[in-house]
Amino acid sequence: MAEAILTEVKKLVEPILSERKLILEDLEYVKEGKDNFLRIYIDKVGGVDLTECSIVSERLSEKLDEQDPIEGTYFLEVSSPGAEKPLKTPEDFKANIDQNIYVSLYVHIDGEKEYEGILKDFSNNVATIDYKFKHRIKQVQIPYDKIAQARLAVML
């Protein structure tokens, strides 16, 4: 059921985003406690601000009221994926070369299940990351299918 809802919402939100030159980063329809949430994550080069999120929220809310693809009550949230946005697809990795990322793995690679470092390359479904080990820079190659989660990581 959630997939059907997300498919319909995507059809409604994409023209709004296209007109405003925004990117749909992610959609989710989830139940948390007693409440349902429809979350839309948007972005653009240089990032989005609260005004942009508000405009998209208002316009999408009107479309959702007209089409009514979701039974019952829910909360609509439109936001930026944030500074530590998730990397969910190979395209996300390719778009974030030379960025600091964090990955957790399904299996150990070189004795570790977590890495944080600079994404140097993503080709043939393998992420190459330069990371600090003690006082040296080391490199690890991680097959995409071994990555449980990945996100951009803010460097402190």
Side-chain angles (χ1 to χ4, degrees):
M1 178 168 152
E3 285 301 315
I5 289 170
L6 294 177
T7 299
E8 289 304 310
V9 171
K10 188 174 182 180
K11 289 179 190 173
L12 296 175
V13 75
E14 282 183 332
I16 296 167
L17 299 180
S18 177
E19 180 181 306
R20 302 198 62 76
K21 296 180 178 31
L22 298 168
I23 300 163
L24 178 62
E25 285 288 340
D26 201 8
L27 284 173
E28 59 182 21
Y29 183 68
V30 295
K31 185 172 189 73
E32 293 179 3
K34 297 178 188 175
D35 298 318
N36 293 310
F37 292 86
L38 174 61
R39 293 188 176 116
I40 315 294
Y41 297 95
I42 61 173
D43 208 354
K44 69 178 177 185
V45 175
V48 295
D49 59 16
L50 185 59
T51 301
E52 200 71 70
C53 291
S54 295
I55 291 168
V56 171
S57 179
E58 289 172 17
R59 295 196 48 209
L60 179 58
S61 183
E62 290 172 7
K63 295 287 184 189
L64 290 167
D65 288 345
E66 289 171 14
Q67 303 292 324
D68 202 21
I70 304 172
E71 285 185 32
T73 60
Y74 60 92
F75 294 94
L76 172 63
E77 296 177 355
V78 177
S79 66
S80 160
E84 293 194 341
K85 80 177 188 177
L87 305 178
K88 294 186 173 189
T89 66
E91 290 74 24
D92 290 342
F93 280 84
K94 290 175 186 171
N96 286 284
I97 301 295
D98 293 328
Q99 298 298 313
N100 197 57
I101 69 168
Y102 165 85
V103 295
S104 64
L105 310 175
Y106 291 117
V107 297
H108 286 87
I109 295 179
D110 293 342
E112 301 292 333
K113 282 188 80 175
E114 296 180 333
Y115 286 94
E116 181 175 330
I118 304 298
L119 177 63
K120 299 308 283 183
D121 185 45
F122 188 85
S123 54
N124 299 319
N125 275 342
V126 175
T128 301
I129 299 172
D130 283 356
Y131 66 99
K132 284 187 180 178
F133 180 75
K134 297 185 180 182
H135 297 289
R136 296 180 18 228
I137 300 294
K138 292 184 81 175
Q139 192 170 79
V140 64
Q141 293 189 320
I142 304 171
Y144 179 72
D145 63 354
K146 304 295 186 231
I147 297 173
Q149 290 185 313
R151 62 173 167 75
L152 294 179
V154 175
M155 293 175 64
L156 299 176

